């Protein structure tokens, strides 16, 4: 028996469920120095905005127990640069390309979706309504159902590409946000983005990050992410991409058993840029060990007396 | 450099610790057996070293400059600054460390007989030491070292007996009472070198850069910025540029032309 690792993500079929997360793999070129991108289920490229963004001043990162805070601030060269200079190379890498887009307004999300609809090689769009490190846009949309719905439906009307809404965990009820996205036309959901956090140097009384607050990621957030995936999977019918602290197959399995169709590796790449390969291999081993033919059969297979 | 192609020697290695010696208070010099890095690393480049067995906590690797390279081994100097570097500093001979490298852009090699000055502060001496050992004619080199106090001056083999060595300490406990940048200011008055290479704390680098830019002397600085990935994917190690915007210390740096950097 050769285990079948392919998964369906709405209209997309991925060769395996292991993707790399937006903001953690740039636009693929540096990661390709460490592993062939064709080994991935998909790549989600860095948050792309209509116009270039310089990003936040340093320090932008701070390590925390089993995790890290970041406040990069969506540094990128804008959507035109992506189309002209980054997509041509990425298209040659034999990997589905998902573009994470971040607008400051609902109109900018629609404009980004419209521009990328015509760009060859884009497999899907991920809507960044959950970045905690920018003043305008970002998480401001992701923390209320109307914001999530407006952005999702604006993008939905502007493109035929599959739409993935990336949800923020910084909400009282993640299920409400998920339902708002699905009702507005999302083909899939990514969860979770980073948890808003903060660290202080007591000696200087200064914040560790120039931005003062930042997004917490890494192994420390995994239990929160698994819980949210589990809650949302029971409430909506669209596929879920689970992420938060994944760097090994056993972590990915938690998300899949909780109800995720696919997973993203983000911060895990910083510690080991080759860990996606180990996760794919580990999933295959697990399936062989447990006699699972199709990975989809494991999705939502939580054994719980509830 | 072609897109997606690894840089020379850049790979994932598991290197055995050969020796671990103290070189100053809170500073350990570790010699790692890693022939591939020893043969490909350029002075100024760094390694990303895993400090926990699990790779989960501490999560991130620690970026550490190569301090010397010989046949099959490389030296690194670890300054104990927190939990991660403390774990690394305790690695004993025979232990294995997991590393990525060599990473980043190194120093531009000077001309064969070009007079140069190396200005180092604290642990910043490490990449300059590697540069020094790679030079054809070390006798032409002025080495200006600064530290807060005598006990923090790195007693790195190969540095102590050097003819062109000058020392400065902030508290005057050894050498000039002041900074390495003060020493450089003196050298620039009497016998200016063609090139200056500097590595150390930010205020020292800013002072060195200012002196060199004023006198139109080529100056390269190795910058230290908080780093997460070290391989160019996270955009964490942002260095403000004189022309606006940021570049990545791990990729466009850590060595920069002093004129390219925006100094505070």
């Amino acid at each position: 028996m050769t285990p079948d690792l392919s998964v369906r993500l709405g209209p997309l079929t991925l060769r395996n469920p292991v993707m790399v997360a937006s903001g953690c793999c740039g636009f693929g070129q540096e990661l390709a120095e460490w592993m062939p991108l064709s080994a991935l289920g998909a790549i989600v490229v860095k948050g792309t905005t209509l116009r270039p963004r310089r990003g936040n001043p340093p320090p932008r990162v701070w390590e925390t127990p089993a995790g890290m805070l970041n406040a990069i601030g969506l540094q990128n060269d804008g959507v035109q640069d992506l189309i002209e200079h980054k997509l041509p190379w990425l298209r040659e890498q034999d990997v589905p390309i998902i573009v994470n887009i971040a607008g400051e307004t609902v109109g900018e999300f629609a404009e980004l979706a419209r521009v990328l609809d015509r760009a060859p090689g884009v497999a899907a769009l991920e809507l960044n309504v959950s970045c905690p490190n920018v003043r305008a846009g970002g998480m401001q949309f992701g923390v209320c159902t109307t914001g999530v719905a407006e952005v999702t439906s604006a993008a939905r009307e502007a493109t035929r590409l599959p739409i993935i809404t990336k949800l923020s965990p910084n909400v009282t009820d993640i299920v409400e946000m998920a339902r708002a996205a699905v009702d507005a036309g999302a083909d899939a959901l990514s969860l979770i983005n980073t948890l808003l956090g903060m660290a202080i140097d007591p000696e200087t009384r200064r914040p560790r990050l120039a931005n003062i607050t930042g997004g917490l990621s890494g192994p420390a957030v995994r239990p929160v992410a698994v819980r949210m995936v589990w809650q949302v999977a029971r409430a909506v019918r669209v596929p879920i991409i689970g992420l938060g602290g994944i760097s090994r197959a056993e972590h990915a399995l938690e998300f899949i058993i909780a109800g995720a169709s696919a997973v993203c590796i983000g911060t895990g790449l910083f510690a080991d840029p080759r860990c996606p390969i180990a996760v794919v291999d580990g999933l295959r081993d697990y399936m062989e060990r447990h006699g699972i033919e199709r990975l989809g059969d494991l999705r939502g297979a939580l054994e719980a007396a509830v | 450099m072609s897109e997606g192609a690894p840089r020379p020697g850049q790979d994932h290695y598991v290197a055995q610790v050969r020796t671990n010696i103290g070189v100053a208070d809170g500073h350990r010099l570790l010699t790692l057996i890693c022939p591939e890095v020893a043969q490909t690393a350029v002075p100024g480049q760094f390694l990303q070293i895993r400090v926990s067995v699990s790779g989960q906590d501490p999560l991130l690797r620690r970026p550490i400059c190569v301090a010397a390279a010989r046949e099959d081994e490389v030296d690194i100097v670890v300054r104990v600054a927190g939990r991660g570097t403390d774990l690394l500093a305790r690695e004993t001979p025979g232990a294995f460390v997991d590393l990525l490298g060599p990473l980043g852009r190194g120093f531009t090699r000077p001309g064969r007989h070009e007079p140069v000055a190396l200005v180092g502060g604290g642990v910043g001496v490490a990449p300059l030491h590697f540069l020094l050992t790679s030079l054809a004619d070390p006798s032409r080199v002025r080495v200006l070292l600064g530290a807060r106090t005598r006990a923090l001056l790195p007693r790195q083999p190969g540095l102590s007996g050097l003819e062109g060595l000058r020392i400065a300490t902030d508290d005057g406990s050894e050498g000039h009472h002041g900074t390495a940048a003060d020493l450089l200011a003196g050298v620039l008055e009497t016998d200016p070198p063609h090139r200056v290479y500097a590595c150390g704390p930010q205020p020292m680098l800013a002072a060195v850069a200012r002196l060199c830019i004023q006198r139109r002397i080529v100056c390269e600085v190795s910058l230290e910025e908080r780093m997460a990935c070290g391989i160019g994917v996270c955009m964490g190690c942002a260095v403000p540029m004189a022309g606006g915007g940021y570049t990545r210390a791990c990729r466009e740096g850590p060595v920069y032309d002093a004129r390219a950097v925006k100094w505070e």
Side-chain angles (χ1 to χ4, degrees), chain A residues 102-156:
Chain A
E104 289 187 14
T105 62
V106 174
E108 281 193 7
F109 274 101
E111 179 62 15
L112 282 159
R114 211 167 6 252
V115 173
L116 286 163
D117 183 65
R118 298 188 294 265
V122 178
L125 299 180
E126 183 178 71
L127 308 180
N128 188 344
V129 292
S130 39
C131 177
N133 300 323
V134 291
R135 273 202 204 90
M139 204 174 81
Q140 157 203 335
F141 292 114
V143 292
C144 64
T145 52
T146 49
V148 169
E150 279 177 28
V151 169
T152 305
S153 62
R156 173 75 293 150

Side-chain angles (χ1 to χ4, degrees), chain B residues 202-215:
Chain B
Q202 188 79 7
M204 185 206 95
L205 292 182
V208 168
R210 204 164 36 242
L211 285 168
C212 292
I213 291 168
Q214 273 168 9
R215 290 171 175 270

Side-chain angles (χ1 to χ4, degrees), chain A residues 24 26 29-30 32-34 54 57-58 60 62-63 66 72 75 89 219 222 247-248 251 267 270-271 273-274, chain B residues 3-6 10-12 54 56-57 59-62 225-226 229 231-236 238 245-246 248 251:
Chain A
C24 302
Q29 287 170 5
E30 297 86 354
E33 296 174 8
W34 298 94
R54 295 170 54 143
R60 291 178 171 184
W62 179 254
E63 192 178 51
I72 309 299
Q75 178 180 340
W89 178 84
R222 194 189 316 130
S247 61
R248 295 183 191 153
H251 309 151
T267 305
F270 303 168
R274 287 179 180 154
Chain B
E3 290 159 340
Q10 175 187 295
D11 210 332
H12 170 230
S54 66
Q56 305 278 300
D57 188 35
L59 173 68
L60 301 173
R61 292 168 183 270
R62 296 296 184 268
E225 185 49 66
R226 286 272 162 206
C229 73
I231 58 167
V233 297
C234 77
M235 315 303 280
Y246 298 100
R248 299 163 292 185
R251 195 79 185 170

Side-chain angles (χ1 to χ4, degrees), chain A residues 192-244:
Chain A
I192 57 177
N193 205 319
T194 53
L195 283 145
L196 191 58
M198 182 169 165
I200 297 168
D201 178 356
E203 293 300 320
T204 61
R205 302 190 205 170
R206 289 175 184 275
R208 297 291 192 179
L209 299 175
N211 191 54
I212 303 178
T213 61
L216 180 66
S217 65
V221 311
R222 194 189 316 130
V224 178
V226 171
R227 182 265 296 179
M228 288 189 165
V229 165
W230 177 71
Q231 287 180 313
V232 169
R234 292 167 11 127
V236 302
R237 287 173 173 277
V238 302
I240 294 168
I241 302 160
L243 70 157

